[in-house]
Amino acid sequence: MAILNKIRQRSLVLIAVIALALFAFVIQGVIDNPNAFSDTQGVIATVNGEDINRNDFMQKVKNYQERFGGSQSSTQAMNAIYNQELRKIILDEEYEKLGLSVEKDEMRDLLKNSFSSYPEFQDENGSFDVNRLNAFIANLKDVQPEAVPLSNFQVNYESWANNEQAIAANAIQQSYYNMIKAGVGATIAEAKDEYLGDAKTVDLRYVSIPYTSIADSLVKVTKSEIKDYIKRNEEEYKVDASREVVYVEFKEEASKKDEDKIKADLLALKNTTVAYNDISKLNDTIVGFDATTNYEDFINLNSDIKFNDAYLRAADLPAVAKDSLMNLEVGAYYGPYKDGEYYKLSKVIEKKQMPDSAKVRHILIPYVGGTRADASVTKTQQEAKATADSILGKINSGTKFMDLLELSSDKVSNEQDGEIEMAYNSSFAPEFREFAFNNKEGDVEVVGTAFGYHVIEILEQSNYSNTIKVATLADKIEPSEETLQDVFNTMSKFEIAARDGDFNQIAEERDLTAKPITFKELDENIPGLGSQREVVRWSFNEDTEVGDFKSFPISGFGFIVAKVVEKNEKGLMNVEDASITALPEIRKEKKAKLIREKITATSVDEIAKNQGVSVRTAAAVTMNNTTLSGAGVEPKVVGAAFGLDEGETSGPIDGEKGVYVLEVTKVTDAPNIDNYTSIVNRLNTTRKSVIQSKIYQALEKAAEIEDNRAKTVY
């Protein structure tokens, strides 16, 4: 009892110690990661004050991936859903400001437009019946969450409601864009300008002193000038945060030694062997490839590719082996040979003449859910099979095939008495094609395909060619454990060496290629390696500094060792990167000034003589075509020409390729036209066609968006 009292007395102290320890742990976590308990952890993004909730977002991402059957990566799905949610919030805000909505009667009209062709919602005359639509929706409510058939689909009340919301949202969006389009148009004055831009012309004489006449080495450009240029052209040099990384690859691939062993193992399977059985305590005789008579079981037991019990033409065989295989006798081998990612040992087990063309006739009995089954199909798969078996029974009992054609749903072939002519390589269902070519003329059978059940009769086979049946042992080419360990050791040694040396130099010394790549924060792919979000995340981690490197396992490949070379934050491009495009433009500005200073004459002919260039001419130049004959695209020069009177000479004009001086020799005014309606209509159509994309781009640009994807889910 005394011990219990002491424990009770000290329990408060113990609780206090535990509490302090937990508090210290939490505080340290906040210090190490100040964002660990921030509100952004549950928020994907905030758009104009509205949050995109993480849980809802991830559920939509999951649904999206399921809808695409897993063909979309997580990052692709997240980007798609993010853009979808962003668009919805931005546009919904606009709709709310304008009071746009879909009322009940309008919703019924929209549903009518969407579903009027569905037999389920038509009366006896084929007209849309709103009562049937209402009854269908009411039934969905009653049986929810169960699904019911609608045409070729299965729908439940939730999916129907979601579809209604999508139809309503699309209608509101269309109304919104239509309202904007109604306010967009062209004026008569704009139509006149457009007409003059094509119809009014000028003839020119001009001289051009090219920028290339001054060597780049004579024009010095400082870093401060590049910085000034970047500031003057901020929009052009705005960049997202990025990381420049170099990486080397350590691929886990089979060595020559591994490949030699694979080939030896394949050849060893030819021989019959005796092995001790630990279970039976007896010696077992294992029949080899040479002696086996059950090729299917032997191949399926020993090969990475299952037995193919089909007669193959040369075109069906591996390209690397088809000629050799077609020339072998029955029982002869070819290989081991390399075919893609396998080594193979093939044995010809049969040879046969097979048709390349066939004529058949068939009766098709489809079932609900089958490929291309329309809304009138009501039979289940089992019922369709039973019907097809019944038809076959009647044919076998003496009923003529032609007398049963009316039971077939293939109306196209029915017009040809149910007959189909087909080549061996035609794109028919494989089961259909296999029956037509692997059986004899006169054979009749029920064959199941994705389209339903066919009763097929072979009428004719022709154009016979050589085929062979091949038993092929295939062993996938994979690295051995020894090779995998060697790759890991090589990678580890590289990492150790890179700690004290130059990353690129060490790679070169080891005959490795240091590959550069630049990541943005939401990127995921490395060319040839697929989605590698871990590498991107690491490169953007606050603790990762320039010069840091790290190894990463790459599924199905091996390893890479990546090193951060440069960290570029969001904002304006740095001077070094901007120099690629800024330097030529600054040089051009400086050269233009030098060239203008050299021009002292005032006429085109004198300038040409003084500068050692030729006088050129350009006829019928228009405002809407900024290509100058003999010079290329020069919008400033062409624009200046239309500001001159006939006979007038311009001052120096800084163009794209040099400094120009123009003399207008002739101005041809556009003939008057009485009606500009066609031009107005054309301008209206052009402008309205881009409204939808332009409006949303403007709304997105104006929106206040706090994007937390990289911190929350990426």
Side-chain angles (χ1 to χ4, degrees):
M1 186 62 72
I3 293 173
L4 287 175
N5 285 333
K6 286 182 180 179
I7 291 174
R8 291 191 185 105
Q9 291 168 7
R10 294 177 181 175
S11 61
L12 291 175
V13 177
L14 182 60
I15 291 170
V17 170
I18 293 172
L20 285 170
L22 287 172
F23 181 71
F25 174 77
V26 171
I27 291 298
Q28 186 61 47
V30 172
I31 293 170
D32 292 341
N33 184 7
N35 295 320
F37 297 97
S38 67
D39 293 336
T40 62
Q41 290 300 300
V43 176
I44 299 297
T46 302
V47 185
N48 290 339
E50 183 173 341
D51 293 338
I52 299 176
N53 179 271
R54 185 183 190 281
N55 292 336
D56 292 342
F57 179 85
M58 294 308 295
Q59 183 60 48
K60 290 176 181 176
V61 169
K62 180 184 176 185
N63 295 341
Y64 182 89
Q65 286 186 290
E66 289 175 352
R67 190 161 70 249
F68 282 90
S71 63
Q72 299 283 302
S73 71
S74 295
T75 303
Q76 288 172 321
M78 288 176 189
N79 287 340
I81 297 300
Y82 173 78
N83 290 330
Q84 175 184 301
E85 294 298 293
L86 189 67
R87 187 182 187 91
K88 183 178 184 303
I89 292 172
I90 290 173
L91 291 177
D92 281 353
E93 190 175 282
E94 293 295 301
Y95 305 154
E96 188 175 349
K97 289 177 185 175
L98 297 170
L100 294 177
S101 63
V102 173
E103 302 302 323
K104 185 175 180 180
D105 291 342
E106 185 182 358
M107 190 68 231
R108 282 290 185 263
D109 289 338
L110 291 171
L111 291 175
K112 178 181 177 181
N113 292 336
S114 298
F115 297 104
S116 58
S117 63
Y118 283 61
E120 291 89 344
F121 306 135
Q122 294 175 348
D123 60 19
E124 295 77 6
N125 300 318
S127 300
F128 179 75
D129 187 344
V130 69
N131 294 321
R132 295 194 179 197
L133 173 67
N134 291 336
F136 180 81
I137 297 172
N139 181 55
L140 283 178
K141 286 183 180 178
D142 292 340
V143 301
Q144 64 176 311
E146 298 298 321
V148 299
L150 175 61
S151 187
N152 295 330
F153 310 100
Q154 292 287 322
V155 297
N156 58 22
Y157 184 70
E158 182 183 2
S159 62
W160 178 270
N162 289 337
N163 191 43
E164 279 195 8
Q165 290 175 9
I167 292 171
N170 186 61
I172 293 172
Q173 177 178 287
Q174 200 56 52
S175 297
Y176 174 72
Y177 287 126
N178 287 342
M179 290 170 63
I180 296 173
K181 287 178 182 179
V184 173
T187 64
I188 296 294
E190 289 172 319
K192 286 181 178 179
D193 288 341
E194 179 72 11
Y195 169 68
L196 291 175
D198 287 321
K200 183 179 179 178
T201 66
V202 297
D203 294 349
L204 306 173
R205 298 176 73 240
Y206 71 91
V207 290
S208 169
I209 299 92
Y211 297 129
T212 53
S213 63
I214 299 176
D216 287 351
S217 59
L218 299 177
V219 181
K220 303 300 181 185
V221 180
T222 65
K223 280 192 175 183
S224 62
E225 287 175 322
I226 296 174
K227 287 180 181 178
D228 289 340
Y229 184 85
I230 294 170
K231 288 179 181 178
R232 283 188 281 123
N233 299 273
E234 281 193 359
E235 285 301 315
E236 185 179 345
Y237 291 98
K238 281 183 178 177
V239 293
D240 294 324
S242 66
R243 299 291 183 266
E244 293 183 26
V245 172
V246 292
Y247 67 95
V248 291
E249 300 173 347
F250 298 88
K251 193 170 184 179
E252 294 178 331
E253 55 188 359
S255 65
K256 183 180 182 304
K257 181 179 177 182
D258 294 334
E259 293 193 14
D260 289 343
K261 184 177 185 305
I262 292 170
K263 290 186 283 185
D265 289 344
L266 285 173
L267 290 172
L269 288 170
K270 292 175 64 178
N271 304 319
T272 297
T273 58
V274 176
Y276 180 73
N277 190 321
D278 288 329
I279 297 174
S280 66
K281 308 301 182 184
L282 299 170
N283 287 330
D284 290 342
T285 299
I286 302 172
V287 177
F289 205 3
D290 285 339
T292 187
T293 55
N294 189 338
Y295 289 106
E296 182 171 1
D297 285 351
F298 183 85
I299 296 297
N300 291 344
L301 179 65
N302 295 289
S303 175
D304 288 334
I305 298 177
K306 297 300 181 184
F307 179 71
N308 181 12
D309 188 23
Y311 289 94
L312 305 176
R313 292 153 178 80
D316 303 320
L317 296 167
V320 297
K322 64 180 181 180
D323 293 336
S324 298
L325 287 170
M326 291 301 296
N327 291 323
L328 290 180
E329 296 299 324
V330 173
Y333 289 95
Y334 180 70
Y337 60 94
K338 193 173 186 178
D339 182 23
E341 57 182 0
Y342 294 91
Y343 268 109
K344 295 179 178 179
L345 177 63
S346 296
K347 181 179 183 180
V348 176
I349 57 176
E350 286 186 51
K351 302 187 85 168
K352 186 177 182 182
Q353 290 271 311
M354 295 283 287
D356 288 334
S357 302
K359 181 193 286 186
V360 301
R361 58 184 171 191
H362 81 134
I363 295 169
L364 172 61
I365 309 299
Y367 53 81
V368 174
T371 301
R372 297 183 191 168
D374 61 34
S376 63
V377 175
T378 58
K379 286 184 171 63
T380 65
Q381 189 168 352
Q382 293 77 13
E383 290 169 342
K385 175 69 164 61
T387 300
D389 288 340
S390 173
I391 293 170
L392 177 62
K394 290 178 181 180
I395 292 172
N396 289 336
S397 299
T399 304
K400 292 183 179 180
F401 200 104
M402 294 289 294
D403 294 340
L404 299 171
L405 273 181
E406 62 183 18
L407 300 175
S408 177
S409 72
D410 188 351
K411 304 306 178 188
V412 176
S413 69
N414 283 359
E415 294 177 2
Q416 306 295 326
D417 295 334
E419 294 181 6
I420 298 174
E421 293 188 18
M422 55 194 296
Y424 177 76
N425 57 359
S426 299
S427 57
F428 283 82
E431 302 90 347
F432 193 105
R433 186 174 62 244
E434 182 180 340
F435 177 80
F437 288 94
N438 289 1
N439 293 280
K440 303 186 300 295
E441 290 183 8
D443 286 355
V444 185
E445 192 56 78
V446 172
V447 177
T449 73
F451 296 89
Y453 287 92
H454 310 255
V455 182
I456 307 176
E457 179 182 5
I458 302 174
L459 301 175
E460 185 181 316
Q461 295 172 328
S462 58
N463 300 325
Y464 283 77
S465 61
N466 293 326
T467 67
I468 58 174
K469 187 178 287 189
V470 182
T472 296
L473 285 169
D475 198 345
K476 190 170 184 180
I477 303 170
E478 294 179 320
S480 63
E481 287 299 322
E482 180 184 353
T483 298
L484 292 175
Q485 188 61 50
D486 287 344
V487 172
F488 181 80
N489 291 340
T490 302
M491 183 269 294
S492 300
K493 289 175 182 177
F494 177 86
E495 280 191 286
I496 293 169
R499 289 174 190 165
D500 302 316
D502 180 87
F503 189 92
N504 289 39
Q505 184 179 339
I506 293 167
E508 187 177 349
E509 290 170 356
R510 286 163 167 74
D511 292 326
L512 300 168
T513 302
K515 298 182 178 182
I517 188 167
T518 300
F519 295 120
K520 292 183 179 179
E521 197 167 13
L522 298 178
D523 286 346
E524 65 166 338
N525 285 319
I526 295 179
L529 300 179
S531 177
Q532 302 299 334
R533 274 296 300 170
E534 282 299 318
V535 182
V536 181
R537 271 195 289 265
W538 165 77
S539 69
F540 276 90
N541 192 299
E542 291 179 0
D543 296 332
T544 302
E545 300 295 340
V546 171
D548 288 355
F549 60 89
K550 184 179 179 181
S551 61
F552 295 88
I554 307 297
S555 177
F557 180 86
F559 303 89
I560 65 170
V561 178
K563 175 187 175 182
V564 175
V565 176
E566 189 173 335
K567 297 171 72 172
N568 299 308
E569 303 307 327
K570 184 176 181 180
L572 292 178
M573 194 180 293
N574 62 48
V575 171
E576 288 74 19
D577 291 339
S579 295
I580 297 171
T581 55
L583 198 55
E585 293 302 317
I586 298 170
R587 281 190 183 133
K588 189 190 295 184
E589 291 175 359
K590 290 193 165 193
K591 288 181 180 183
K593 183 180 178 183
L594 293 173
I595 291 170
R596 286 197 306 272
E597 290 172 351
K598 291 195 300 180
I599 298 175
T600 56
T602 57
S603 74
V604 168
D605 292 306
E606 289 175 345
I607 294 169
K609 182 178 179 182
N610 294 343
Q611 300 300 319
V613 294
S614 302
V615 176
R616 297 180 180 179
T617 60
V621 176
T622 67
M623 180 71 81
N624 286 349
N625 183 359
T626 59
T627 300
L628 190 63
S629 176
V633 178
E634 289 288 0
K636 288 183 182 179
V637 179
V638 172
F642 280 87
L644 300 173
D645 295 325
E646 190 172 306
E648 189 176 357
T649 301
S650 73
I653 305 162
D654 298 349
E656 292 297 316
K657 299 180 180 66
V659 176
Y660 295 76
V661 176
L662 314 175
E663 178 190 341
V664 176
T665 57
K666 183 181 178 182
V667 175
T668 304
D669 287 320
N672 290 325
I673 58 174
D674 297 328
N675 194 317
Y676 292 93
T677 303
S678 62
I679 300 176
V680 169
N681 290 340
R682 175 164 55 82
L683 291 175
N684 283 340
T685 300
T686 301
R687 292 175 183 182
K688 289 181 179 182
S689 67
V690 298
I691 282 294
Q692 198 153 321
S693 61
K694 296 289 185 183
I695 287 296
Y696 180 72
Q697 287 170 11
L699 291 172
E700 184 178 354
K701 188 174 181 180
E704 294 182 5
I705 302 171
E706 183 184 339
D707 187 352
N708 302 315
R709 284 178 291 169
K711 301 174 185 176
T712 52
V713 293
Y714 279 53

